Amino acid sequence: MAEGRVEDIYDRIKSMVVGFLIPPEQRINEVALARELGVSRTPLREALNRLVSERLIDFRPGTGFFCRGLQVQNIYDLYELRQVIEIATVRMACARASDGGIAALKADLLEHGMETKDKTVRETCAQDEAFHIGIAQLTGNASLVSELRRINEQIRFIRWVDMSTRIKTTKGEHLQIMEAIAARDADVAAGVMTTHISRRMDQVVDAVKEGISSIYMAGAAELAGRIIEDA
């Protein structure tokens, strides 16, 4: 099977598990999934193993593959890790970024990152992630960018939950962070980033509860497709 074929299968399954179209902790029926995707078991298994290495699905010896769980402690730990990485990232960006790179990111934020009315939660979250990845790219550290992308994938579903209630605050903080980077003020940038990302345990608990409710009541696809009406 060509590498491109495996990559396509991987992308399709990743989209399913990141958005919990396969419910948390549910065993993945390889035969049924191969039939649904119209693929054979060998490239399917290769794609599943890759997703295991990225911690997006679990493998239990003797039992099989399972969609990852939606545990509060794990989500909280990921937010803590993201906070550490992004604070370091914004400080590095203030020190390393070129004037042109900063100007381009600011222009992109103003052109694409501030208009969210009538966009879906999925689209708005993608804009949010793009802004943070853009800051990481200003550092010139490819490994840092890659790690941030990995964390984003693991917490994306919870960020969908957050997005519909925090969008006004998010946009304002993005502007503050961008202005601080443009001024090369690492302390201000790091301070706003800390407020922007940090989550208390009770906030994570509430978000996970709402996320689980969305999965089993309305469906995960409904959450991602929700329209941002007042932004």
Side-chain angles (χ1 to χ4, degrees):
M1 180 64 65
E3 173 63 28
R5 181 63 167 156
V6 174
E7 190 71 20
D8 177 64
I9 296 167
Y10 160 82
D11 287 339
R12 292 167 70 185
I13 301 173
K14 177 189 270 191
S15 178
M16 296 169 71
V17 298
V18 164
F20 285 108
L21 297 180
I22 302 173
E25 305 285 357
Q26 179 172 298
R27 184 176 180 276
I28 297 172
N29 185 320
E30 292 180 59
V31 174
L33 184 58
R35 186 182 305 117
E36 178 184 344
L37 299 179
V39 301
S40 62
R41 293 281 297 280
T42 298
L44 177 71
R45 177 64 68 91
E46 185 174 340
L48 289 172
N49 280 322
R50 182 173 168 185
L51 290 165
V52 170
S53 71
E54 295 175 1
R55 302 178 187 175
L56 290 173
I57 64 174
D58 299 324
F59 178 72
R60 303 174 191 172
T63 308
F65 296 96
F66 291 78
C67 187
R68 75 194 193 284
L70 195 55
Q71 290 99 4
V72 169
Q73 187 62 55
N74 183 52
I75 297 297
Y76 183 76
D77 290 348
L78 285 166
Y79 267 102
E80 279 196 327
L81 177 59
R82 181 188 172 207
Q83 182 175 326
V84 170
I85 289 174
E86 293 228 44
I87 290 170
T89 295
V90 80
R91 286 188 175 278
M92 290 168 65
C94 286
R96 296 183 179 181
S98 67
D99 291 342
I102 292 173
L105 182 60
K106 184 175 182 178
D108 186 70
L109 174 65
L110 295 175
E111 182 177 357
H112 302 294
M114 301 305 293
E115 182 53 57
T116 55
K117 184 175 172 58
D118 296 330
K119 290 189 176 180
T120 65
V121 167
R122 178 186 286 106
E123 291 169 333
T124 305
C125 187
Q127 289 179 183
D128 181 84
E129 288 185 17
F131 174 67
H132 287 272
I133 291 296
I135 295 172
Q137 289 171 332
L138 290 178
T139 70
N141 187 318
S143 295
L144 190 154
V145 173
S146 178
E147 182 65 13
L148 186 56
R149 288 188 192 279
R150 184 188 69 80
I151 294 171
N152 282 342
E153 289 168 350
Q154 293 190 357
I155 64 173
R156 184 171 296 149
F157 184 79
I158 295 300
R159 291 178 75 185
W160 286 351
V161 173
D162 273 349
M163 192 56 66
S164 57
T165 58
R166 296 192 74 252
I167 185 59
K168 288 183 179 179
T169 301
T170 293
K171 291 195 296 185
E173 289 170 348
H174 280 185
L175 278 176
Q176 292 176 57
I177 292 167
M178 192 69 253
E179 292 296 341
I181 294 173
R184 308 277 182 177
D185 193 329
D187 290 338
V188 170
V192 179
M193 186 67 82
T194 300
T195 301
H196 183 61
I197 294 175
S198 64
R199 295 293 182 275
R200 301 189 312 270
M201 178 62 82
D202 63 303
Q203 292 174 315
V204 174
V205 168
D206 289 345
V208 169
K209 285 180 179 178
E210 184 178 343
I212 290 173
S213 176
S214 294
I215 291 169
Y216 291 105
M217 299 294 289
E222 188 277 336
L223 170 61
R226 242 176 243 169
I227 299 296
I228 304 289
E229 296 179 352
D230 182 13

